[in-house]
Amino acid sequence: MIDLQHVTKIYGQGDVRVTALEDVSLHVERGEMVAIMGPSGSGKSTLMNLIGCLDRPTTGKYVLAGRDVSTLNDNQLARVRNREIGFVFQTFNLLPRLNALQNVELPLVYRREPRAARVRKAMAALEMVGLGERMHHHPNQLSGGQQQRVAIARALVGEPSILLADEPTGNLDSRAGEEIMAIFQELNQQGITLVLVTHDERVARHCRRIIRVLDGRLVGDEPVTAPLRAVPVHSDQEAAQA
Amino acid sequence: MSIQEGIRMAWLSLAGNKLRTFLTMLGVIIGVAAVIALVSIGQGATNEVTSQVQSLGANLIVITPSMSAGVRFTVDDAATIAARVPELAQVMPVITAPVTAQYGITSYDTTVQGVTESFPVIRDFPVAFGRFFSAADVQDAANVAVLGQTVSSQLFKGLNPVGRTITINGQPFQVIGLLTTKGGSLGQNQDDLIAIPVTTAERLVRTRYVAAIYAIPKSADLSAVAVGHLENIFQHQYQNDQAVAVLAQDQLLSTVNSVTTTLTLMLAAIAGISLLVGGIGIMNIMLVSVTERTREIGVRKALGARRRDVLQQFLVESVFLAGVGGVIGILLGVGGALLISGLAGWATRVSVGSVLLAFVFSAAVGVGFGLWPAMRAANLNPIEALRYE
């Protein structure tokens, strides 16, 4: 699914050249659940931007879902992001003026899907994360955990090849974080490929494989023998609070 | 993203900040309204002045001696001029004097004009009722009078004046005709006069001197030649080009027209500047909006928005601001023009051209001033935009 071959990323030119990633090769199969770990400044954000097709490698090759995306132009990359990547951000990044349903519709809007199909798919995605009752709420009417679930629905709605989550539990309390991890594990069970970027060892241990990045290099790649099971909490209590 | 979707997005964002949207539009509203109202007033004034000048009489040439240069004309001078300038068809001396007219116990202060039988033709001012006096009446210095509408209604209150006898400065005159309504011209009520034979006027107000000599050329093309001829004669006679003023109606018309056109253009330019300021207001707000929504742009790009999609989204917003502002401005401008014409009794003319121009200009302002902010938004790097706090 993800195939990085000797990827190097260099920022700046001349004296201010910074090598953010050096000769990274990484292979992620369909259906995997992988955590990418590393302290800040390690290059894990750069790695995530490359995997998410927000950026191009300086040298090396990136094959995503069977297609070489390392030399695409901006518009082609936008199209790949739209089709193949589902982003989940630490700060949720829902658009405040749109309600939950409209937020989830967004990837399909940029795919020029007809409105009826868009609404149907967005509703299904929201049902999937347990927010069928709150489709018309705006982000400020939702709790952090609920907002992150809307963001997950938005990432899922376009049926991407991979779900790419950047510190998805970083802004949540432990209970809401647990709930999000439960959803991720459930999605993974259904066969969705997940890549989580985190510096939280506990979050990483929910995955089945941990990749460690330090100083722009991969320094570890180990399977997790006994992944932690997140206890799926249903949102009733939370709904009552909100 | 489809256009329809873009409009929906723009609407959501503009409706989300109504006060700001309204204030931004206000600049364009005021600009467009000012363009339309001022141009309408300018064009209305042009039309008004033009029709007033035309109402003096087609091709009228007015020869006015300058008292300060010591030049005075008598009735005989009119005949001399007629004989010396063959381009003129008719020449008429005019004696003007303030008088008091009386009918029964009603008296009214007005102006008497001592003229000849040529008056209806020269001034393009026919009688509505009765008849004008004849050459014989002028010859005989008959005590006959033709009334303007205002004088008639003041003295007779709706009665038919023809055949009745009034007194002017105490002397009896028989009313033989009533002039048509001409209306105001350049601040004067042209219907407030009594026309009597110039010979009678000489006796009535005891003067030999005329206020002006009116003439018309044999044809419209001869007007300029006649004026040139006249100026030549007076220059030769008095060695002073200020001694006699020769003014042709068509010259006056073109002078007046060029003045009012300049005035209208100046008004339009001032209003256009305010529209420009409105456009800068839109650009300012759009730049603020792009900065505020940097993160949103990053999110949209991460979700698959292309440069074009982001460009379109922001461009639609600014065009919407300018377009809706333009429409409201047009309504206000037309309303303002009508209000001014109603309140001030000032003729305004709202032309389709000025409305169209204002709208196209405001739409262009939307695109023009929206383009730069929209391009800034479209060119944002998604990684940096997502990191923006």
Side-chain angles (χ1 to χ4, degrees):
Chain A
M1 187 58 67
I2 297 171
D3 192 12
L4 293 170
Q5 298 165 13
H6 307 290
V7 165
T8 298
K9 180 71 192 178
I10 297 166
Y11 290 113
Q13 282 179 334
D15 291 345
V16 290
R17 275 163 68 102
V18 176
T19 306
L21 281 180
E22 201 171 348
D23 194 25
V24 169
S25 293
L26 174 65
H27 194 78
V28 177
E29 285 297 330
R30 181 182 299 276
E32 275 197 86
M33 183 163 176
V34 185
I36 296 175
M37 290 202 66
S40 47
S42 62
K44 70 176 190 302
S45 292
T46 305
L47 184 56
M48 189 200 68
N49 289 339
L50 285 176
I51 293 174
C53 292
L54 288 165
D55 211 348
R56 277 174 291 259
T58 311
T59 62
K61 196 169 167 188
Y62 175 23
V63 179
L64 174 67
R67 182 180 184 195
D68 184 359
V69 295
S70 33
T71 56
L72 298 183
N73 66 27
D74 286 350
N75 278 344
Q76 290 167 321
L77 280 182
R79 198 179 144 83
V80 171
R81 287 196 295 272
N82 184 255
R83 303 259 163 187
E84 310 290 352
I85 315 279
F87 283 98
V88 177
F89 303 97
Q90 177 174 2
T91 50
F92 325 135
N93 279 339
L94 299 180
L95 303 192
R97 296 205 200 292
L98 307 186
N99 65 26
L101 189 65
Q102 290 166 328
N103 264 290
V104 176
E105 276 180 52
L106 271 179
L108 304 180
V109 166
Y110 290 117
R111 210 179 276 187
R112 290 174 167 271
E113 268 203 46
R115 185 143 181 227
R118 239 162 50 203
V119 171
R120 184 164 43 75
K121 288 183 184 176
M123 285 171 111
L126 280 166
E127 301 276 4
M128 215 154 119
V129 295
L131 282 177
E133 306 293 312
R134 298 183 166 257
M135 291 185 190
H136 299 290
H137 286 55
H138 279 75
N140 59 8
Q141 299 168 302
L142 297 170
S143 71
Q146 288 170 334
Q147 288 187 53
Q148 193 60 302
R149 273 146 62 194
V150 173
I152 293 171
R154 182 174 69 186
L156 283 174
V157 75
E159 295 175 348
S161 300
I162 55 169
L163 214 62
L164 190 58
D166 180 17
E167 300 279 11
T169 59
N171 276 27
L172 298 175
D173 61 39
S174 59
R175 205 175 54 79
E178 188 79 359
E179 196 178 278
I180 295 302
M181 290 314 296
I183 291 175
F184 280 143
Q185 287 187 327
E186 203 180 307
L187 292 171
N188 182 241
Q189 295 263 299
Q190 292 167 20
I192 289 170
T193 311
L194 271 157
V195 175
L196 259 74
V197 178
T198 183
H199 64 269
D200 184 339
E201 190 73 35
R202 210 186 114 73
V203 168
R205 298 223 69 86
H206 285 79
C207 299
R208 292 192 283 169
R209 177 181 169 195
I210 298 179
I211 289 160
R212 293 182 195 277
V213 187
L214 191 65
D215 298 334
R217 293 169 180 278
L218 294 196
V219 293
D221 185 350
E222 77 243 26
V224 179
T225 41
L228 294 174
R229 287 293 307 163
V231 187
V233 188
H234 283 288
S235 55
D236 303 353
Q237 299 147 298
E238 199 184 52
Q241 282 170 9
Chain B
M1 187 159 63
S2 64
I3 284 284
Q4 189 194 347
E5 211 49 54
I7 291 169
R8 227 163 66 93
M9 289 288 173
W11 172 250
L12 274 172
S13 134
L14 292 173
N17 206 333
K18 291 191 185 67
L19 181 63
R20 180 199 278 189
T21 302
F22 170 71
L23 289 175
T24 311
M25 270 185 198
L26 202 56
V28 178
I29 292 173
I30 291 171
V32 170
V35 167
I36 291 177
L38 292 181
V39 169
S40 300
I41 290 167
Q43 289 185 335
T46 306
N47 289 331
E48 179 84 6
V49 172
T50 303
S51 74
Q52 285 185 5
V53 170
Q54 279 169 341
S55 77
L56 291 174
N59 302 318
L60 179 69
I61 296 170
V62 179
I63 303 156
T64 318
S66 165
M67 298 267 268
S68 59
V71 180
R72 308 186 88 176
F73 285 161
T74 61
V75 174
D76 298 336
D77 286 316
T80 314
I81 287 169
R84 290 184 65 182
V85 184
E87 294 87 359
L88 295 177
Q90 309 217 35
V91 181
M92 172 182 81
V94 181
I95 290 176
T96 307
V99 294
T100 303
Q102 196 166 355
Y103 176 71
I105 54 160
T106 316
S107 72
Y108 180 63
D109 291 332
T110 182
T111 305
V112 81
Q113 287 202 2
V115 292
T116 67
E117 70 285 357
S118 304
F119 178 89
V121 177
I122 290 182
R123 286 290 320 276
D124 193 13
F125 203 170
V127 289
F129 208 74
R131 65 174 183 90
F132 206 80
F133 46 80
S134 63
D137 291 325
V138 177
Q139 190 91 52
D140 301 346
N143 275 16
V144 290
V146 177
L147 305 187
Q149 289 282 348
T150 305
V151 176
S152 172
S153 65
Q154 288 289 336
L155 289 182
F156 293 96
K157 320 274 186 216
L159 288 174
N160 178 5
V162 175
R164 296 175 198 272
T165 301
I166 59 171
T167 63
I168 301 174
N169 283 3
Q171 294 197 32
F173 278 79
Q174 192 189 12
V175 179
I176 58 167
L178 177 63
L179 292 164
T180 50
T181 305
K182 197 135 194 177
S185 170
L186 308 172
Q188 278 188 332
N189 177 2
Q190 298 191 81
D191 296 323
D192 191 1
L193 87 154
I194 300 172
I196 59 173
V198 67
T199 43
T200 316
E202 279 182 304
R203 197 185 65 222
L204 179 70
V205 298
R206 294 190 189 89
T207 181
R208 291 174 48 236
Y209 299 112
V210 300
I213 293 171
Y214 287 5
I216 50 170
K218 286 192 168 121
S219 74
D221 339 328
L222 285 175
S223 176
V225 181
V227 169
H229 201 161
L230 284 165
E231 281 173 340
N232 226 337
I233 289 171
F234 296 131
Q235 169 66 24
H236 203 75
Q237 190 169 343
Y238 301 104
Q239 302 297 322
N240 179 358
D241 57 5
Q242 304 291 315
V244 181
V246 180
L247 201 64
Q249 187 245 23
D250 57 347
Q251 277 179 334
L252 188 62
L253 199 61
S254 67
T255 308
V256 164
N257 266 341
S258 79
V259 169
T260 53
T261 305
T262 310
L263 208 70
T264 305
L265 280 178
M266 207 176 73
L267 289 176
I270 292 168
I273 288 169
S274 73
L275 190 53
L276 197 72
V277 172
I280 293 170
I282 288 186
M283 178 152 76
N284 193 12
I285 279 301
M286 291 311 294
L287 282 173
V288 170
S289 174
V290 167
T291 307
E292 271 182 358
R293 286 150 73 189
T294 300
R295 220 170 215 286
E296 171 186 330
I297 295 162
V299 172
R300 286 178 183 277
K301 287 198 155 190
L303 297 180
R306 290 162 301 173
R307 288 190 65 239
R308 220 182 61 196
D309 295 320
V310 177
L311 189 79
Q312 180 193 309
Q313 183 188 344
F314 282 89
L315 215 49
V316 167
E317 275 187 34
S318 57
V319 170
F320 182 92
L321 283 173
V324 173
V327 169
I328 297 173
I330 286 169
L331 295 178
L332 276 181
V334 172
L338 293 177
L339 196 72
I340 288 167
S341 68
L343 284 181
W346 207 1
T348 60
R349 174 167 295 189
V350 179
S351 70
V352 180
S354 69
V355 170
L356 218 63
L357 186 79
F359 187 75
V360 168
F361 196 29
S362 67
V365 159
V367 176
F369 287 95
L371 198 60
W372 186 44
M375 276 170 65
R376 268 175 71 138
N379 288 333
L380 281 176
N381 176 326
I383 297 170
E384 281 162 26
L386 277 170
R387 220 182 280 144
Y388 186 85
E389 291 300 330

